Amino acid sequence: MNRRNLIKFVLALAVMFSLSGWVHAQNAQSLKNNYQRLQDKLKNNQFNQPIVMDSEQTSKSISGDVYSVINYPFSTVRTALDTPEEWCDVLSLHLNVKYCRALNSNKIEVYAGTKKTQPLSDAFHMEYNFKPVINNTNYMQIVMDAKSGPMGTSDYYMMMEAIPIQNNQTFIHVKYSYHYGTMAKLATNLYLDTVGSGKEGFTITGKKPDGKPKYVSGMRGAIERNTMRYYLAIEAYLGSLSLPPAQQQEYRLTNWFAATERYPQLYEITRQQYLSMKRDELKQTPPNN
């Protein structure tokens, strides 16, 4: 490389890093703006906790968002949730995640299945890209995505971002979304019309005849339930870190389930069924091993 090309290369790198820093600053500012915008909802909501839920559905995609103030310092969050291995410990708490492992520093292998015990050979194999982590003293962002999922679903996207706030707390935003086609929509609607009938999410859409809140249902209800489950998994994981390593896994399982019991929308199986299923799943190895 001659001197002129070398100078061009160095200048290009300088521009790239400058733009990267600008994007990170924009992301941090956007989350700060959301924190200010949501102050009233964080203080007054059906959760009786500083939690705000939102969701959106289009003709081809569905997404859920949880915003929350958590009682952990930002320094704890940014060091505890920045590797694929740590995120597998988080994801594995979800009912539908049968197995998770980090394949390398930028890829996660996940087996997704039913809410009951099943062999991994019957579960759906997915690979999530673990994107480069943004992690500085004022902002953190983790992004994972997968091209395909079960029943023709695609473009799975999971993101967590966080900023430090007052009182040694952290404001976090968890987003979960995917695209769906005709087959996935039909299968989901069939589930919601049969064994999943009556299931609701968290967004209040009105009042029932008895005066109780009416919550969003259908696919929006489903994405809200799953986004909440992932948020509660993050909380359970962070809560386990103060314990000796040998006790952390059991703590995460019991505390994740206890957290879900606060919300009738999340009930699927009993505590004993969940613990037994997860203890067995955590011993499994992938079919190709």
Side-chain angles (χ1 to χ4, degrees):
M1 183 181 293
N2 60 39
R3 180 178 175 81
R4 179 177 294 180
N5 288 337
L6 178 62
I7 292 173
K8 287 181 179 179
F9 177 71
V10 171
L11 289 174
L13 281 179
V15 170
M16 181 181 71
F17 286 120
S18 175
L19 287 173
S20 176
W22 179 80
V23 170
H24 296 175
Q26 289 292 100
N27 289 340
Q29 188 58 51
S30 176
L31 191 56
K32 288 177 184 177
N33 292 342
N34 279 326
Y35 176 60
Q36 296 300 325
R37 176 178 64 86
L38 295 171
Q39 282 299 300
D40 185 60
K41 289 184 178 181
L42 288 167
K43 295 173 183 175
N44 304 285
N45 56 67
Q46 74 269 35
F47 304 107
N48 294 316
Q49 294 184 71
I51 296 174
V52 177
M53 168 68 75
D54 196 10
S55 61
E56 182 179 8
Q57 182 177 5
T58 70
S59 61
K60 295 183 179 180
S61 66
I62 187 83
S63 65
D65 297 87
V66 171
Y67 298 88
S68 178
V69 173
I70 57 175
N71 292 317
Y72 297 98
F74 181 69
S75 58
T76 297
V77 176
R78 64 182 295 228
T79 57
L81 291 167
D82 63 347
T83 69
E85 290 82 4
E86 291 161 342
W87 274 94
C88 266
D89 287 336
V90 172
L91 300 179
S92 295
L93 297 175
H94 194 293
L95 285 161
N96 295 111
V97 176
K98 306 286 106 179
Y99 178 83
C100 181
R101 69 170 175 174
L103 296 177
N104 51 49
S105 62
N106 56 18
K107 197 169 288 291
I108 291 176
E109 178 180 56
V110 172
Y111 283 81
T114 68
K115 297 177 177 68
K116 297 180 180 180
T117 301
Q118 67 180 138
L120 293 185
S121 57
D122 293 341
F124 190 90
H125 178 255
M126 302 175 68
E127 286 192 2
Y128 278 86
N129 297 307
F130 192 85
K131 298 298 182 69
V133 178
I134 301 173
N135 193 349
N136 56 50
T137 56
N138 296 308
Y139 179 74
M140 177 189 189
Q141 184 191 78
I142 300 291
V143 172
M144 292 171 279
D145 61 30
K147 295 202 79 168
S148 61
M151 294 185 297
T153 53
S154 63
D155 298 322
Y156 278 76
Y157 177 86
M158 185 177 298
M159 183 270 290
M160 188 210 79
E161 57 180 348
I163 55 171
I165 56 174
Q166 68 279 2
N167 301 322
N168 222 18
Q169 296 174 309
T170 302
F171 181 62
I172 71 169
H173 170 210
V174 179
K175 187 176 190 68
Y176 176 58
S177 67
Y178 61 88
H179 284 68
Y180 58 87
T182 302
M183 183 173 70
K185 188 172 183 179
L186 288 174
T188 302
N189 287 337
L190 177 62
Y191 166 77
L192 294 171
D193 288 340
T194 53
V195 294
S197 64
K199 289 186 176 295
E200 299 174 315
F202 297 94
T203 298
I204 298 174
T205 60
K207 286 187 177 181
K208 297 179 180 178
D210 60 4
K212 293 181 179 179
K214 181 180 179 181
Y215 297 100
V216 67
S217 58
M219 293 186 74
R220 278 187 63 199
I223 198 77
E224 289 191 358
R225 292 193 299 274
N226 281 320
T227 307
M228 178 63 82
R229 289 182 176 116
Y230 284 123
Y231 160 72
L232 295 175
I234 293 170
E235 280 257 58
Y237 177 79
L238 291 171
S240 73
L241 300 179
S242 60
L243 298 173
Q247 300 175 23
Q248 291 179 6
Q249 180 176 291
E250 192 68 14
Y251 176 96
R252 291 194 288 266
L253 294 176
T254 56
N255 278 267
W256 182 88
F257 191 85
T260 67
E261 287 190 300
R262 296 197 298 261
Y263 310 112
Q265 296 97 320
L266 300 183
Y267 180 80
E268 296 288 349
I269 57 179
T270 67
R271 178 180 184 274
Q272 189 52 49
Q273 287 171 328
Y274 172 77
L275 293 177
S276 177
M277 176 180 73
K278 284 298 172 183
R279 287 166 184 159
D280 288 342
E281 288 174 357
L282 289 167
K283 298 174 185 176
Q284 294 190 96
T285 56
N288 59 342
N289 276 11

